[in-house]
Amino acid sequence: MSANTIFVTGTDTDCGKTQVSLGLIRALVADGARVAAFKPVAAGCELGPAGLQNADALALQEASNLNLDYAQVNPVALEPPIAPHIAAAERGLEIRIAELRAAHERLSAAADWVVVEGAGGVLVPLGAHCDMLDLAVNWPSVLVVGMRLGCLNHALLSAHILRERGRLFGWVAVCLPPVQDRLQENISALRQRLPVPCLGVVGVGEIPWVQADVRQLKRAWSAV
């Protein structure tokens, strides 16, 4: 039986996706589930004795309660911290959606839940004719909104495309440093305008849901 999957995407890069993904993994583990972490594509990897590895993917691997090799968590590891399709092209590599889906299915066979963290924003290109949402189209998605100037437009556009091409079930506000002017007013504006529930507001440096009851999350997930 295939696992349930949550796709964590965001309004931009460095908006808090890893922070939210770690919270989801830890909450589901605390709820008694077998949870696999999956970061299909990571740009900004460092070369070490074990090869190219990404700090965010390593954190996700550690949070999982399955014994996963790094390559299972992060099949495509790219060194420069640039758009994945550019980094892949510079290596002469083609990112293949079918191969990433197959990697997800292998994880899914051993888990109750798979938490997938995207790269960059919703529509970051993975190749000349594909983007991140082509990979995640069938996975229920949670949108991470980095609360900073411009986030209203970014969040509303991201939610629109996720509803049009994917399966959006909730969003999370991550309060980035420095604290945004009129933070609460911006959060209220998003609560009024986004068509799915806010699953949490995360303070600077906080990991959400570590001790939380995950029933709200599961209800929102099952509704899409």
Side-chain angles (χ1 to χ4, degrees), residues 187-201:
I187 291 173
S188 294
L190 289 174
R191 287 184 187 272
Q192 293 167 9
R193 289 167 173 79
L194 288 174
V196 290
C198 177
L199 300 175
V201 176

Side-chain angles (χ1 to χ4, degrees), residues 90-165:
E90 289 179 351
R91 267 183 56 186
L93 174 69
E94 181 183 357
I95 299 175
R96 299 179 185 273
I97 297 293
E99 292 177 2
L100 294 177
R101 286 181 179 158
H104 167 267
E105 285 303 310
R106 289 191 290 272
L107 288 178
S108 183
D112 301 310
W113 289 86
V114 181
V115 175
V116 184
E117 183 187 330
V122 174
L123 292 181
V124 66
L126 297 181
H129 305 291
C130 62
D131 56 44
M132 184 61 68
L133 200 49
D134 287 318
L135 172 61
V137 62
N138 293 319
W139 298 334
S141 304
V142 58
L143 177 66
V144 178
V145 181
M147 300 305 299
R148 54 190 168 202
L149 188 63
C151 68
L152 299 182
N153 182 61
H154 293 166
L156 295 171
L157 285 173
S158 297
H160 177 76
I161 197 67
L162 280 165
R163 296 264 291 178
E164 186 174 273
R165 287 181 51 195

